[in-house]
Amino acid sequence: ASDVYKRQEWARQAKAAGMKYIVAPWMSVPKTLKDLKTYCDYYNEIGRRCKAAGISFGYHNHAHEFNKVEGQVIEDYMIENTDPDKVFFELDVYWASKGGVNPSAYIQKYAGRFPLLHIKDEDIIGASETIDFESIFKAAYKQGLEEYYVEIEANSLPPMLCARKSAEYLNVSKFVK
């Protein structure tokens, strides 16, 4: 490893830039539980280094983390095999839904592990009526939600229209604080 990596300079620089979180946005699908355990150990170490620099480290899911490896759901295994003091999870509610998971039930199952949410829908937040944002926000606030981030996919509509209508939806939703 390089000297910069060894000195944890990257984490200190992120903190100095005002960042509160560093989030890993993707990993390849592991072939074995041994491979998945290697990821967990790596994330625990990165989390330790980030914490030492005063910043939090987390992982952001997509749909494939709800597949199984050797009979274990990848995301479940990751949550159960990472140290909650070192690694948090940012639940992407859209991809969790696409992965066959009820996001609010999942947040409740692993209460305390999701300080961040990634809010997304097909296009405009709430318009598809396939994701129960009210129950998701309620479950997330109950377990200590710190922040949420909105991503606009804008697959079939102009991105700025999606952003405006999504903001309107969230701004009038009484369940969003």
Side-chain angles (χ1 to χ4, degrees):
S2 74
D3 286 341
V4 171
Y5 180 77
K6 288 178 186 174
R7 291 191 320 263
Q8 296 170 221
E9 194 61 34
W10 50 271
R12 283 191 282 279
Q13 289 172 348
K15 176 73 173 170
M19 294 174 64
K20 292 170 51 176
Y21 313 104
I22 292 177
V23 179
W26 179 266
M27 69 176 200
S28 298
V29 177
K31 304 244 187 281
T32 66
L33 283 181
K34 182 180 177 187
D35 294 341
L36 186 52
K37 179 73 167 101
T38 299
Y39 273 113
C40 292
D41 293 344
Y42 175 72
Y43 292 151
N44 279 326
E45 179 58 22
I46 296 298
R48 183 190 69 73
R49 291 172 187 231
C50 284
K51 186 174 182 176
I55 195 166
S56 299
F57 174 76
Y59 183 79
H60 171 286
N61 67 279
H62 289 82
H64 71 268
E65 286 86 357
F66 299 99
N67 293 335
K68 291 183 178 180
V69 172
E70 295 182 25
Q72 297 281 318
V73 174
I74 294 169
E75 185 88 350
D76 291 1
Y77 186 92
M78 290 174 66
I79 291 170
E80 293 164 6
N81 288 276
T82 53
D83 184 341
D85 194 45
K86 296 176 184 151
V87 180
F88 71 85
F89 289 81
E90 175 186 21
L91 187 67
D92 184 314
V93 300
Y94 174 82
W95 286 119
S97 296
K98 292 294 183 187
V101 170
N102 174 326
S104 58
Y106 204 73
I107 291 166
Q108 292 169 37
K109 179 180 179 180
Y110 291 111
R113 293 307 298 269
F114 300 105
L116 305 182
L117 284 183
H118 194 112
I119 302 299
K120 183 168 42 177
D121 206 334
E122 293 289 332
D123 284 308
I124 299 165
I125 305 296
S128 73
E129 298 184 353
T130 60
I131 300 174
D132 183 356
F133 288 105
E134 182 171 1
S135 69
I136 291 167
F137 273 99
K138 286 180 178 179
Y141 286 127
K142 185 176 180 181
Q143 64 93 51
L145 179 65
E146 294 174 17
E147 298 185 39
Y148 68 91
Y149 302 92
V150 176
E151 179 181 357
I152 304 299
E153 288 288 326
N155 293 315
S156 63
L157 299 170
M160 291 310 294
L161 173 64
C162 289
R164 187 178 81 248
K165 294 209 172 278
S166 293
E168 289 168 0
Y169 171 81
L170 292 169
N171 286 333
V172 300
S173 297
K174 294 185 185 342
F175 54 84
V176 178
K177 298 177 186 176

